[in-house]
Amino acid sequence: YVFSAMQVVDNFARETKEVKNVLLDEGKPAINLYNLRIESDLDDKKTGKKYGLGSSAAVTVAAVRALCKWYGLTLTTPELCKLAIIASSLVKKSGSGGDVAASTYGGWVMYRAYNREWLEAEIEMIESGDSSLHKLLRKKWPRFEVKRLKVGAGLRLLVGWTGNPASSAELVGSVKAGVKAGDLTAHNPAKTSAKTYAKTYEDFCVQSEKCVQKIANALENGNIDALLSGFAQNRALLKDLGEITGTLIETPKLTRLIEVANGAGLPSKTSGAGGGDCGIAIARAEDFDAVSARIEEEWQNSGIEALNLKVAEFDESSDLSLIEQRKDDHIKLACKQYNAHAESGFEHVRFIPNALPQLALSDVDTSVSVFDESTKWDTPLYINAMTGGSKKGENINESLARVAAKTGLAMASGSLSAALKNPHLEETFSVIRRFNPHGFVMANVSAGASAEQAIKAVEILQANALQIHLNAAQELVMSEGDRDFSAWLNNIEAIARELDSMKVPVVVKETGCGMSARDVLRLKNVGVRAVDVGGRGGTNFVAIENARRGRKSDYEFLDYWGLTTVESLLDIAQCDEILCEPRDSSDSCDSARMQVFASGGVRTPLDVVRSLRLGASAVGVAGEFLHTLINEGEDALVEQIESWKAQIRVIMALLGCKNIEDLRENSRILIDDKPCVI
Ligand code: FNR
């Protein structure tokens, strides 16, 4: 396994330009000159007992990981996993790769095996020079799936070792032979044909897949009853399979192990391929101490040794696959929860019509000055912060960048936090600049970022402005989210100061819970000159995180947290201090004026004009544009934006307003059906 890992990583490194330029004395690259030292605690050194915990997979993954590091190759977790599976499959073809995935990812994972014949053919293509390891890592592997499960600390594992070694290869071979040959007359007097067995095996796979899905859900929900029934189902399926293929999967000791655990109310199953070695049981963390002592004693009486093992922890913040999964979840759930009728309060804002507009459509000028007089946008509209940090995010950023370039709209990237931790992800954001070299681009960081990180984010995108997002509610509902917001205002002050000296404007934005006049005032007092209210009613990150938690109703009561976009704008509009208040004697009223951008549930050009009338300098749209892009494609989004641009002009003409200032000062509205004219 170690030699295979060395061979695979050496070859991978040879294919890679990034390899450290280490040279031998005679000038040849020192591609495979290193010492590997291996230590393991997986088996018992003193007694020589081998527990069957997947040490072959572990050593393969460890060697692949160490060598990639040595070569300076930055791989994502899924890529590392694939490389280790390739190395492992070159030694043993029958492995599922599940143990390799567990070793690569750490924590709880749900695993679906790749198609072995497919991988074998792919490796042959590499060997014959028709493909490369790089190409193979980038491909989608048929059937293959590794998904992290969010199990948390609520469940704990008990592991029992039966003392009998098991050979997974032999067991899998035996099942395969049974399925293929149909030669099982000893076990099946009815002499079932090979075809029938293949059919039975197919049924087994379908049922097994359902069962695994059920178990994964039960683990994430901490549902012991569902686990009990899922494990029982899985056991019955394996029993049938063992019988029809003449393979002993559950040995008498494993049966005893499971029955003892079940007797104490714990779900339990054979581990690996069965046939010996270990079985597992799962307990609620709060019951663990009480039940484990009892079970371990009974196991011991039956010659089963309890092993002191825990599910491996991993660093969530630096795990690329987790970041990618989160980013992809956000896109998927934002689209799934999208509602064409947002609840941001716009429906309560009605314009009083102007029956005598007294101007021509061609008189209308929708341009706005943003940040300072020198920055002018032709349309008071921008594509708000969304994504980056995953392959899918990169593709969306590329599309949005092309759309922004074609339509002339400003656009913001999603939060660059992931790229600031993992430079490997920078390209998923910088693609925006590559496809929109001349447009107005805003970088986006969290309020937890330092001034240094904010500058780095601006550099990655060569950004014209920086958004700092506020998302306390989202972080608190997100199980892996931040819990400490005490430094936010200080961070924002430091970023605003640094970027001010670099002449890069800063916008502090909410992400769907809105901002009050008081919030805006506090930001103004630390030197912020622009905010985006990011109000409630459109994309709802509390609801998205509630859906990601997979646990019903945990924080659902927060789904409607915050101020709608309209409420935020109205609260801010009535606060003179925000809109015009010199900070010191040198500050003229105008230079201290806060710019307010509106976003959150903007679904129509009329919502844009309403926002402008309520005081917004420009209006950001995220969910609506994402919905169009995902469902109808890039051209449809360009078309939608072009229509909106024209329709904004039409609405302004209808109101008799020739520019945004005119709209703000001279158009009249009613709020909430009450004749309250402001
Ligand atoms: C967002 N939003 C967002 N905001 C932010 O400041 N940083 C970010 O990384 C993200 N990520 C993100 C992902 C996805 C998929 C969506 C849809 C949105 C929030 C966004 O900029 C905006 O504030 C809210 O979505 C509200 O506007 P809409 O979507 O209702 O128009």
Side-chain angles (χ1 to χ4, degrees):
Y1 285 101
V2 175
F3 277 119
S4 185
M6 288 160 68
Q7 207 175 17
V8 167
V9 183
D10 285 351
N11 287 340
F12 185 71
R14 233 177 247 124
E15 287 177 5
T16 311
K17 291 192 207 87
E18 292 169 26
V19 180
K20 278 186 220 159
N21 199 9
V22 189
L23 297 177
L24 285 174
D25 287 346
E26 64 268 38
K28 281 193 213 131
I31 201 89
N32 43 21
L33 241 166
Y34 44 75
N35 292 319
L36 260 187
R37 196 183 67 218
I38 293 160
E39 286 173 29
S40 165
D41 294 323
L42 274 181
D43 297 318
D44 194 325
K45 278 189 209 124
K46 272 190 226 136
T47 59
K49 278 182 195 166
K50 197 179 163 310
Y51 297 121
L53 295 171
S55 54
S56 312
V59 81
T60 311
V61 172
V64 168
R65 200 190 289 274
L67 289 173
C68 283
K69 196 165 178 194
W70 186 83
Y71 277 120
L73 303 163
T74 319
L75 266 70
T76 61
T77 308
E79 286 167 346
L80 260 179
C81 183
K82 284 178 170 173
L83 210 53
I85 286 178
I86 294 167
S88 165
S89 77
L90 290 172
V91 181
K92 189 176 71 178
K93 289 199 173 61
S94 66
S96 72
D99 45 5
V100 175
S103 284
T104 318
Y105 280 71
W108 299 77
V109 293
M110 186 179 111
Y111 179 78
R112 184 186 290 113
Y114 56 96
N115 179 325
R116 294 184 189 83
E117 286 78 25
W118 177 86
L119 186 65
E120 234 177 283
E122 288 288 322
I123 292 173
E124 270 170 28
M125 271 166 59
I126 294 172
E127 284 165 354
S128 63
D130 294 331
S131 184
S132 68
L133 285 163
H134 280 78
K135 279 190 193 152
L136 181 51
L137 291 204
R138 275 199 301 270
K139 276 189 185 167
K140 183 161 170 43
W141 290 19
R143 284 184 46 81
F144 178 68
E145 187 187 357
V146 193
K147 185 172 163 248
R148 278 200 190 287
L149 296 179
K150 294 180 277 289
V151 176
L155 295 179
R156 293 210 26 203
L157 196 64
L158 277 98
V159 183
W161 180 57
T162 61
N164 307 333
S167 162
S168 301
E170 273 174 31
L171 276 155
V172 174
S174 164
V175 170
K176 252 187 165 172
V179 172
K180 270 199 185 133
D183 177 26
L184 300 164
T185 45
H187 306 276
N188 189 330
K191 293 196 182 174
T192 313
S193 70
K195 217 168 145 190
T196 314
Y197 279 114
K199 178 84 190 72
T200 311
Y201 181 65
E202 229 177 87
D203 281 349
F204 166 80
C205 291
V206 171
Q207 296 305 324
S208 185
E209 171 105 26
K210 281 188 195 155
C211 195
V212 168
Q213 193 56 57
K214 178 173 170 178
I215 290 170
N217 290 342
L219 283 170
E220 289 202 312
N221 294 330
N223 185 340
I224 291 282
D225 288 341
L227 270 181
L228 272 167
S229 109
F231 280 6
Q233 236 171 303
N234 168 261
R235 192 179 173 199
L237 284 169
L238 285 172
K239 189 162 174 276
D240 284 354
L241 184 75
E243 273 170 15
I244 62 162
T245 60
T247 311
L248 182 66
I249 295 173
E250 192 179 300
T251 61
K253 261 199 184 168
L254 281 170
T255 303
R256 177 76 191 135
L257 181 150
I258 293 169
E259 281 170 0
V260 168
N262 284 169
L266 302 196
S268 176
K269 68 183 290 296
T270 54
S271 102
D277 277 334
C278 298
I280 60 164
I282 290 172
R284 280 194 195 90
E286 62 265 30
D287 305 334
F288 184 82
D289 289 339
V291 286
S292 64
R294 208 168 87 214
I295 290 174
E296 285 175 14
E297 195 185 330
E298 279 191 58
W299 277 355
Q300 204 172 3
N301 293 339
S302 307
I304 298 163
E305 186 182 332
L307 305 180
N308 183 17
L309 296 169
K310 278 200 292 245
V311 174
E313 285 172 12
F314 64 97
D315 176 6
E316 290 193 5
S317 67
S318 68
D319 187 275
L320 287 179
S321 68
L322 195 81
I323 293 170
E324 295 200 334
Q325 199 168 310
R326 180 167 66 237
K327 298 294 172 184
D328 292 353
D329 281 354
H330 285 168
I331 295 165
K332 194 174 75 190
L333 290 164
C335 291
K336 192 172 163 198
Q337 296 179 359
Y338 166 85
N339 186 341
H341 302 284
E343 292 171 1
S344 305
F346 288 114
E347 66 280 18
H348 297 294
V349 183
R350 287 168 51 210
F351 279 103
I352 296 177
N354 181 351
L356 296 160
Q358 291 296 103
L359 51 65
L361 181 59
S362 57
D363 293 336
V364 176
D365 172 10
T366 58
S367 67
V368 276
S369 294
V370 287
F371 304 119
D372 53 55
E373 285 306 313
S374 63
T375 310
K376 221 166 194 186
W377 292 351
D378 288 343
T379 308
L381 190 61
Y382 56 98
I383 302 172
N384 218 345
M386 276 186 267
T387 196
S390 71
K391 189 68 209 159
K392 194 170 181 180
E394 180 178 342
N395 293 340
I396 291 177
N397 273 341
E398 184 183 321
S399 289
L400 290 174
R402 266 196 296 262
V403 170
K406 279 186 194 156
T407 56
L409 249 56
M411 95 167 254
S413 74
S415 167
L416 279 123
S417 303
L420 294 170
K421 283 186 199 133
N422 301 284
H424 193 69
L425 296 174
E426 280 180 18
E427 176 58 18
T428 65
F429 295 91
S430 59
V431 67
I432 293 175
R433 194 37 106 192
R434 203 143 54 79
F435 285 88
N436 186 10
H438 310 297
F440 193 98
V441 171
M442 294 183 268
N444 184 294
V445 294
S446 97
S450 64
E452 224 176 23
Q453 288 175 316
I455 292 168
K456 175 80 187 153
V458 170
E459 282 170 2
I460 292 172
L461 280 173
Q462 297 155 48
N464 307 80
L466 178 83
Q467 290 185 331
I468 306 175
H469 69 256
L470 309 176
N471 64 339
Q474 180 196 0
E475 294 288 344
L476 286 168
V477 177
M478 194 194 308
S479 47
E480 72 270 31
D482 285 344
R483 297 290 181 264
D484 184 355
F485 316 111
S486 51
W488 275 12
L489 210 50
N490 279 346
N491 292 345
I492 291 170
E493 183 170 18
I495 295 173
R497 197 181 327 112
E498 287 295 318
L499 292 202
D500 191 39
S501 69
M502 295 165 60
K503 302 262 174 286
V504 177
V506 168
V507 188
V508 178
K509 78 181 277 282
E510 239 296 339
T511 47
C513 291
M515 277 188 203
S516 69
R518 193 161 167 259
D519 295 331
V520 180
L521 212 46
R522 288 163 79 200
L523 290 165
K524 187 179 182 190
N525 289 338
V526 298
V528 173
R529 285 287 160 268
V531 293
D532 173 340
V533 299
R536 200 193 77 207
T539 305
N540 182 336
F541 268 92
V542 173
I544 286 175
E545 294 302 343
N546 268 327
R548 284 186 69 235
R549 288 176 81 89
R551 222 174 276 233
K552 224 184 130 24
S553 84
D554 237 342
Y555 284 97
E556 271 178 14
F557 64 91
L558 287 180
D559 273 0
Y560 293 93
W561 186 259
L563 291 178
T564 65
T565 306
V566 167
E567 285 166 348
S568 297
L569 290 171
L570 287 174
D571 197 39
I572 293 165
Q574 51 75 38
C575 181
D576 292 342
E577 275 176 279
I578 295 173
L579 298 175
C580 196
E581 162 92 348
R583 266 202 311 157
D584 56 50
S585 53
S586 68
D587 245 345
S588 78
C589 187
D590 233 4
S591 72
R593 191 186 160 93
M594 197 80 179
Q595 285 221 333
V596 178
F597 297 99
S599 78
V602 174
R603 294 280 187 267
T604 64
L606 183 55
D607 293 345
V608 175
V609 182
R610 284 159 160 160
S611 300
L612 296 168
R613 171 59 184 82
L614 292 175
S617 301
V619 181
V621 181
E624 174 67 29
F625 289 166
L626 181 69
H627 175 77
T628 305
L629 179 69
I630 300 282
N631 292 290
E632 297 171 54
E634 227 174 280
D635 290 345
L637 181 54
V638 170
E639 209 174 294
Q640 180 179 30
I641 291 173
E642 290 302 339
S643 302
W644 279 35
K645 280 160 69 174
Q647 288 156 357
I648 291 167
R649 295 166 60 84
V650 166
I651 298 164
M652 284 177 59
L654 199 50
L655 290 166
C657 300
K658 57 183 184 305
N659 56 40
I660 308 292
E661 208 183 340
D662 192 10
L663 172 80
R664 231 174 262 143
E665 284 169 10
N666 298 321
S667 66
R668 297 191 305 148
I669 48 177
L670 299 170
I671 303 284
D672 224 358
D673 294 343
K674 287 183 214 120
C676 110
V677 182
I678 61 168

